[in-house]
Amino acid sequence: MYRYDEFDHKLVAERARQFRRQVKRRLSGELTEDQFKPLRLMNGLYMQLHAYMLRVNVPYGSLSSRQLRKFAHIARTYDRDFGHFTTRQNIQFNWIKLEEVPDILEELAEVEVTAIQSSGNCVRNITSDHYAGRARDELADPRVYCELLRQYTILNPEFSYLPRKFKIALTGSPRDRAAVALHDIGLRMHRNEAGEIGFEVLVGGGQGRTPFIAHTIREWLAPEHLLSYVESILRVYNMYGRRDNMHKARIKIIVNQMGIDRYRELVEADWEQIRDSVLKVPQAEVDRINAYFAPPEYECLADIPDELNDVRARIPEFDQWMAANVAEHRIPGYSIVNLSLKAPGMPPGDMTADTMDAVADLADRYSLDEIRVNHRQNLSFVDVRQRDLFTLWKELKLHDLATPNIQSVSDIICCPGLDYCNLANSRSIPVAQDLSRHFVDVDHLALVGDFTINISGCMNACGHHHVGNVGILGVNKRGKEFFQLTLGGSSDENAALGDRLGRALPQDEVPAAVETIVDTYLAMRLDGERFLDTYRRVGIEPFKQAVYSPVQTRAVA
Amino acid sequence: MALVKNNAMIDDPFVDVTGQETIPADGPVIVDLHQWQSHREQLTQRTDPVGVRLRSDQPPELIAGDLESLALVALEFPVFRDGRAYSYARLLRGQYRFDGEIRAVGDVLLEQLHFMERTGFDAFELQSDDPLGDLQVASADFDVWYQPAADGRLSAMQLRHQSD
Ligand code: HEM
Ligand code: SF4
């Protein structure tokens, strides 16, 4: 967990005070709504259907129990007792009063949390692998570089009025859990031929109405050049990104219009001028940040597979949970535990204030105080002693956070949709609820295995539907809600956009269609194949047939 | 229009003749890019200072070779949300080492002043009834900065390691 130093504290306090002044100027009419809008968005404040929504950053997904308790307090005091975890490691509060926002920001600053640039046409919250610093396959902890970028991008005077929003994600593992290829800038650690760790730099990925997988702009970048290279990418975008049409303003559009080679030329030319400037990251700063992350004090333990297997053999429910929700840790004797926020019927990502408090207490007792928010709208405890797993499981069950469905059919990503969002075409949450109630048989979930379903309420794609193994997109046809399915999307190291299955379906036909897709896969899969592997091998036709012209219907007709 | 420079209101010595057919024979003038490019020879002969005003779709690269003859570059904000000029100012100060006046013109408002100042602007045509008051408010907001820019203020990172 990064701790603020005096500079960080001061800046955040100053920013909160500045926003208090901006709100005052708005309320007194000195600022028009048009002038105020970008200012409030740069502080995470949206106008939704019914009220203001405040989006608060959880930088690169790391959260302490103290911070989570503060979220519970905010939910209770200023909202309707709950919050919503998003796909970009943020939390949103949905029922906020403008006049109270300055107080909320001050309360958040007490626990080193902000809403700075959680929205607006600027660089947003830097996201990362939720297993960062703990994953066994990691080359180095990406959070140090996330923190460098966080500071560099906060209130950056040159890049606060970009053509459009800008999202950066980092991974330190070959296994990409941060969807870096779907970001404006993605950074992927790897070794060059000399064996040194650096970043592959990707640019121009994104979802929304025109999705793109990012291009590699540089194969390998030395970490000391991270800030200058990002500055050059941002500068070229700021100068040449399109401002004539909001829907064409993201960096992905300009990169694909001018071509990645031309974009690279411009970036490299600018970078030549600044690569050895004060932007070069001194090793002393990397060391300082590392120290401020204060690595947890692990006990010297051994892995205990036999003991765990014993319990697993006796208690099948625990076994299912272990198989689905628990991941390897790089320190012996420890595990990573995923908390599922996707119990049947729950709106994905929502959490009540009481549950937040309960999770904070559990994190104190079982996870060395640290919680992670991940891009599939679940939480993770990243430092759990294996000998505590069984007790923790029982505790999580009491709070309905132990559904063994991580990365399975009912672990659905879903945007807020028409229940909150004024851009929505459809109610996405009820579709997620229907599906999670439909797929409740945990043995069946385990049998199906890795399978992601992502739902967006409109083509803005906040629910990542383009990259769901099954993507579901709400569309509006003559005033009625329909849902368009796509297959084969993926956001990992082999990122792919889904293919359209066929005509959109009414809401009540969606669960049956997904079930048909699942059954079709099960009938065709070869040993050990995930849905995605089978799909890539057999293509879309068998699924299309099964959903739109099942054999039985034709036989009857 | 109120012009603020070096924390004071000043009378603008320049006459903005952009878009006009004829350029007065003497006196400090601000011309547009088209005028500059078509009358470069005459304009560089003048003893009085000359400035060029760039639209937000005209990067300073277009006058990079001429900067030695210019006393001023005015960068336009057609609307405060258009942030291109922040990069132009930084390029002018950084890459092109321009040390004349960089003037913010157009939709120039209090809430953006601090960023303008940090990126290298040193004169502002402010849309305000109380420009000096605005400037004071804007410059009182922060005294910690996370990144180096064109104003020479040390970033938090630089301060942290000053004694290293
Ligand atoms: C309710 C208020 C929200 C509004 C008005 C909103 C608006 C938008 C818009 C307009 C886009 C498309 C941007 C583009 O294509 O340039 C977008 C994309 C996106 N939003 Fe939201 N959104 C909201 C809530 C959320 C929530 C709750 C999440 C997370 C669950 C989220 C995560 C994302 C992501 C991941 C993208 C696509 C990635 C990309 O930027 O390419 N948004 N949003
Ligand atoms: S995808 Fe559409 S409906 Fe869903 S939150 Fe985004 S803008 Fe709203």
Side-chain angles (χ1 to χ4, degrees), chain A residues 48 55 86-87 92 165 167 207-208 250 416 460 462 464:
Chain A
Q48 285 194 327
R55 182 184 289 158
T86 79
T87 53
Q92 298 186 170
K165 58 180 160 181
K167 302 178 179 180
Q207 306 192 47
R250 295 287 294 271
N460 285 320
C462 303
H464 293 203

Side-chain angles (χ1 to χ4, degrees), chain A residues 2 5 7-8 10-11 14-15 17-18 21-22 25 31 34-35 38-39 148 150-161 227 231 235 238-240 243 270 273-274 278-279 282 284-285 288, chain B residues 56 59-61 79-88 90-91 95 107 109-112 114-116 118-119 134 137-138 140-149 156-161 164:
Chain A
Y2 178 74
D5 71 0
F7 296 105
D8 303 308
K10 188 139 192 241
L11 187 125
E14 288 171 348
R15 176 62 177 131
R17 199 181 59 204
Q18 182 192 43
R21 186 200 78 221
Q22 292 171 338
R25 291 186 73 215
L31 285 171
D34 187 47
Q35 291 167 344
L39 303 176
L148 273 169
R150 183 190 74 83
Q151 298 192 14
Y152 169 74
T153 53
I154 290 295
L155 295 168
N156 189 303
E158 187 179 348
F159 306 126
S160 290
Y161 291 91
L227 301 184
E231 175 157 311
R235 180 166 299 137
N238 191 39
M239 297 201 308
Y240 301 107
R243 292 177 189 261
D270 186 75
Q273 307 284 328
I274 60 169
V278 287
L279 285 172
E285 179 65 358
R288 184 195 72 85
Chain B
S56 68
E61 198 185 336
V79 51
F80 69 91
R81 281 184 302 274
D82 183 339
R84 282 175 275 196
Y86 297 107
S87 285
Y88 298 165
R90 284 217 62 192
L91 285 178
Q95 231 131 300
D107 198 11
L109 305 168
L110 185 164
E111 302 294 349
Q112 287 75 35
H114 183 58
F115 291 155
M116 293 177 184
R118 292 221 63 206
T119 48
D134 281 8
V137 171
D141 277 341
F142 293 101
D143 52 352
V144 177
W145 298 274
Y146 267 146
Q147 51 295 102
M157 194 198 291
Q158 288 169 303
L159 290 171
R160 280 170 183 140
H161 301 292
D164 293 1

Side-chain angles (χ1 to χ4, degrees), chain A residues 46 48 53 55 84 86-88 92 164-165 167 182 206-209 250 252 377 414-416 421-423 460-462 464:
Chain A
Y46 274 83
Q48 285 194 327
M53 174 272 272
R55 182 184 289 158
H84 174 80
T86 79
T87 53
R88 294 205 75 257
Q92 298 186 170
R164 198 75 179 85
K165 58 180 160 181
K167 302 178 179 180
L182 293 145
Q207 306 192 47
R209 57 181 74 201
R250 295 287 294 271
K252 60 190 175 187
Q377 298 176 294
C414 182
C415 79
C421 174
N422 48 8
L423 304 177
N460 285 320
C462 303
H464 293 203

Side-chain angles (χ1 to χ4, degrees), chain A residues 19 22-27 31-42 45 52 98, chain B residues 80:
Chain A
F19 193 64
Q22 292 171 338
V23 170
K24 205 168 123 209
R25 291 186 73 215
R26 172 67 194 122
L27 292 174
L31 285 171
T32 63
E33 177 54 26
D34 187 47
Q35 291 167 344
F36 181 60
K37 188 176 168 190
L39 303 176
R40 67 167 161 78
L41 287 177
M42 271 187 248
L45 197 60
Y52 280 107
L98 177 59
Chain B
F80 69 91

